[in-house]
Amino acid sequence: MANSLLLNRRHILATGVAAGAVTLGLGRARAQTAPIKVAGIYTVPVEQQWVSRIHKAAEAAKAAGGIEYTFSENVSNTDYPRVMREYAEGGAQLIVGEVFGVEQEAREVAAEYPETAFLMGSSFMPDDALANFGVFDNYIQDASYLTGIVAGAMTKTGNIGMVGGFPIPEVNRLMHAFMAGVRETRPDAKFQISFIGSWFDPPKAKETALAMIEGGADVMYAERFGVSDAAKEKGVLAIGNVIDTQADYPETVVASALWHFEPTLTAALDKVKAGAFKAENYGLYSYMAKGGASLAPLGTFDGKIPAAAMEMIAAKEAAIKDGSLEVAVDDSEPKAS
């Protein structure tokens, strides 16, 4: 693999996608017993919330012996197509990543390698004309809604602060679901909303959160790293997103909406293994009913949330899982109130 691939990389595994490896053979069902060669391409560090869930699922699949896994992190959008090509040329059978800032270019690269499966986080739906390009997203609005019920029950001022990365669908839908949950237990709640223009800038997120707390917020929605630090510093509560940080903020993070990427990756790997991978919306595997989302354990806040709210959460969760309740997916930019 070219030396240039080492730029902005921390980790290229020795078991990576060696040149000359056999490609997938999309559409030709066949048994495959050897581990599937998987490559991850990430624009941020693997510690970042969203990407960490993909990375965690891939590492688990590797530990189970189902895949060989190599990855590149901190890949710029301008460099992303080149890295895609190098992994495809190197024999990767499944390439997973996130192309929110490089949608068109990524799809053009995928068209050049029809024998390679691409599973990409995307704001757009799959295109049947590009059969090897599946898309996914973190549709964890179900769990976000439940955390909103907690927030509404715990706020004393009714003033909720919300800090996000960018006002794009994958952020907007979670914020809207959270706000809907808040209104279940605090109908008169008001929301401060701000976007920091970055996926990974904890100092800026903290600064933004501090301003909201100064403005009266006593519960913070921590869509980005840094918000919970501000909440801890000022002695207010925070709601986590995508990952569980309760152990890091035991007196601050009261609840979190978790994303589990394992169902999404398993579905894709099964189809690659069968030679049946195609353009599909794998985002459906993030729904709570599919095991792709959950409410994190309450940890130190167990027993501290009002009983009425917990009863409501149990009833709503059961309804979500049996299909009688569908949490709305609203991708429009949320507005402060």
Side-chain angles (χ1 to χ4, degrees):
M1 197 167 288
N3 289 336
S4 57
L5 185 58
L6 296 176
L7 182 62
N8 289 329
R9 311 292 182 269
R10 177 190 303 169
H11 187 59
I12 299 293
L13 298 180
T15 56
V17 286
V22 179
T23 56
L24 173 63
L26 293 169
R28 297 193 300 273
R30 69 186 186 196
Q32 177 174 328
T33 57
I36 295 170
K37 298 182 186 299
V38 177
I41 309 174
Y42 311 121
T43 61
V44 293
V46 292
E47 291 86 1
Q48 189 257 13
Q49 300 109 298
W50 199 88
V51 160
S52 73
R53 307 308 285 177
I54 304 172
H55 182 65
K56 176 177 179 288
E59 288 284 9
K62 175 191 167 191
I67 68 172
E68 294 179 6
Y69 173 56
T70 185
F71 68 91
S72 299
E73 59 184 345
N74 293 320
V75 179
S76 67
N77 286 332
T78 55
D79 204 27
Y80 208 94
R82 180 186 64 79
V83 179
M84 289 176 67
R85 287 188 176 94
E86 291 195 0
Y87 276 127
E89 292 283 351
Q93 294 166 275
L94 175 65
I95 297 177
V96 61
E98 16 93 33
V99 296
F100 300 106
V102 64
E103 290 276 358
Q104 184 60 39
E105 296 90 339
R107 291 174 187 248
E108 289 172 358
V109 172
E112 298 172 15
Y113 300 94
E115 298 298 303
T116 303
F118 293 85
L119 179 65
M120 293 293 177
S122 170
S123 296
F124 297 91
M125 289 293 104
D127 180 356
D128 290 339
L130 190 59
N132 63 325
F133 194 93
V135 300
F136 68 89
D137 212 341
N138 62 324
Y139 285 88
I140 62 169
Q141 65 279 348
D142 301 327
S144 296
Y145 169 74
L146 298 182
T147 64
I149 294 174
V150 173
M154 297 297 283
T155 180
K156 295 178 180 178
T157 66
N159 189 327
I160 309 290
M162 305 180 68
V163 180
F166 294 91
I168 62 173
E170 22 291 316
V171 175
N172 297 343
R173 72 175 67 107
L174 305 187
M175 285 188 164
H176 277 295
F178 170 79
M179 294 162 73
V182 170
R183 294 187 183 106
E184 293 282 7
T185 45
R186 189 65 186 254
D188 64 342
K190 303 298 182 183
F191 300 93
Q192 301 181 60
I193 299 174
S194 185
F195 299 92
I196 64 172
S198 172
W199 292 129
F200 194 72
D201 191 344
K204 188 172 184 179
K206 180 180 179 181
E207 178 184 355
T208 303
L210 287 171
M212 290 182 176
I213 296 168
E214 287 294 319
D218 69 342
V219 176
M220 294 299 307
Y221 177 75
E223 199 271 329
R224 292 291 101 195
F225 277 152
V227 176
S228 294
D229 293 304
K232 178 181 178 181
E233 184 175 304
K234 293 298 183 178
V236 303
L237 300 178
I239 300 293
N241 180 58
V242 175
I243 62 175
D244 185 3
T245 58
Q246 223 273 329
D248 298 319
Y249 305 93
E251 304 305 319
T252 302
V253 175
V254 61
S256 297
L258 303 187
W259 181 32
H260 307 290
F261 191 70
E262 288 79 2
T264 304
L265 183 61
T266 297
L269 290 173
D270 286 345
K271 293 182 181 185
V272 170
K273 189 173 183 178
F277 188 91
K278 61 181 180 179
E280 292 182 72
N281 176 19
Y282 286 81
L284 300 178
Y285 292 97
S286 290
Y287 280 59
M288 183 172 282
K290 296 283 190 180
S294 69
L295 184 65
L298 298 176
T300 57
F301 283 90
D302 190 18
K304 298 179 181 179
I305 297 169
M310 294 305 300
E311 291 171 4
M312 179 183 291
I313 288 169
K316 298 288 188 182
E317 182 174 355
I320 289 169
K321 289 181 176 179
D322 69 21
S324 59
L325 172 62
E326 184 175 341
V327 177
V329 175
D330 185 348
D331 288 347
S332 65
E333 182 175 345
K335 303 299 181 183
S337 57

